[in-house]
């Protein structure tokens, strides 16, 4: 509500640290009312699951560091890479169905796999949360083993329905939009 305030400068600093996330700043009562946002609040809108998260800025110890962490923990993208920071946003998603691509990010085939996986994610936006799990990270070994897979069986798709823990796995040599679509549709049926 106060242009030029310390909170605004911290907000701008946080925005500069995360250039891939669009930031906006408003003091307009009409805009705040339209979005149901409160004054002195950072509101994160997640297009992937049509959900939102709020960070109260009235607490004087909120700074650019905490805002950046808040965004990183709670942002979800078309394809969200799973790691200890994004795990919170993934677990709190309103989307109950998660599709994981377990793959080696260092593979020369990775950029093309991701292009196709993102294209498939567009088709299920708002229905399925698409997650990338890099098999090279030690912290992700438990996820690979949770789906009873070994590194030699990757890349693979694993679909997981959070409420009842129902799951299915598909090992594949190549990711295609059609295979991802068929796998999701089969599971949804």
């Amino acid at each position: 509500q106060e242009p030029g305030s310390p909170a605004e400068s911290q907000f701008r600093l946080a925005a500069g640290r995360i250039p891939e996330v669009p930031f906006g700043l408003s003091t307009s009562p009409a805009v705040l009312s339209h979005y149901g946002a409160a004054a002195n609040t950072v509101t994160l809108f997640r297009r992937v699951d049509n959900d939102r998260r709020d960070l109260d800025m009235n607490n004087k110890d909120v700074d650019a560091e905490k805002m950046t962490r808040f965004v990183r923990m709670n942002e979800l993208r078309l394809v969200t890479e799973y790691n200890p920071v994004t795990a919170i946003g993934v677990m709190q998603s309103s989307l109950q169905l998660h599709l994981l691509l377990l793959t080696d990010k260092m593979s020369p085939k990775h950029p093309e796999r991701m292009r196709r996986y993102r294209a498939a994610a567009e088709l299920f936006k708002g229905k399925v949360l698409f997650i990338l799990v890099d098999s090279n990270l030690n912290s992700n070994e438990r996820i690979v083993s949770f789906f009873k897979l070994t590194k030699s069986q990757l890349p693979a798709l694993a679909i997981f329905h959070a409420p009842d823990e129902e799951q299915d796995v598909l090992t594949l040599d190549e990711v295609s939009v059609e295979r991802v679509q068929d796998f999701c549709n089969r599971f949804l049926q």
Side-chain angles (χ1 to χ4, degrees), residues 54-181:
D54 293 316
L55 175 65
D56 183 359
M57 294 292 295
N58 289 313
N59 185 341
K60 298 296 179 217
D61 71 341
V62 175
D63 59 6
E65 197 67 42
K66 288 185 178 155
M67 277 185 252
T68 302
R69 183 165 166 72
F70 167 76
V71 171
R72 287 281 183 229
M73 282 171 43
N74 290 291
E75 72 172 320
L76 292 179
R77 300 171 183 215
L78 201 52
V79 174
T80 301
E81 184 169 350
Y82 187 87
N83 60 46
V85 175
T86 61
I88 294 165
V90 167
M91 298 305 172
Q92 293 178 345
S93 171
S94 60
L95 295 177
Q96 303 284 306
L97 202 54
H98 299 176
L99 180 71
L100 292 75
L101 171 60
L102 301 112
T103 188
D104 175 358
K105 274 181 63 177
M106 303 308 283
S107 165
K109 295 179 179 181
H110 181 71
E112 184 57 24
R113 277 183 194 141
M114 281 306 296
R115 189 188 68 68
R116 292 176 183 160
Y117 192 57
R118 272 193 198 91
E122 284 281 355
L123 304 172
F124 293 93
K125 201 153 118 180
K127 293 183 197 131
V128 179
L129 183 60
F130 277 61
I131 303 166
L132 169 68
V133 177
D134 183 5
S135 59
N136 289 315
L137 293 180
N138 290 339
S139 58
N140 289 339
E141 283 176 1
R142 61 185 176 77
I143 295 169
V144 174
S145 65
F146 175 81
F147 290 104
K148 296 171 181 60
L149 291 166
T150 61
K151 277 190 176 187
S152 64
Q153 294 173 291
L154 303 181
L157 292 173
I159 197 161
F160 181 78
H161 186 242
D164 58 14
E165 296 189 7
E166 190 176 332
Q167 59 179 278
D168 195 8
V169 174
L170 174 68
T171 56
L172 37 96
D173 34 336
E174 217 31 74
V175 174
S176 73
V177 175
E178 296 75 23
R179 293 207 54 200
V180 172
Q181 194 174 6

Side-chain angles (χ1 to χ4, degrees), residues 2-13 57 62-64 67:
E2 307 158 25
S5 70
E8 181 189 340
S9 67
Q10 291 297 305
F11 180 82
R12 290 182 185 282
L13 193 57
M57 294 292 295
V62 175
D63 59 6
M67 277 185 252

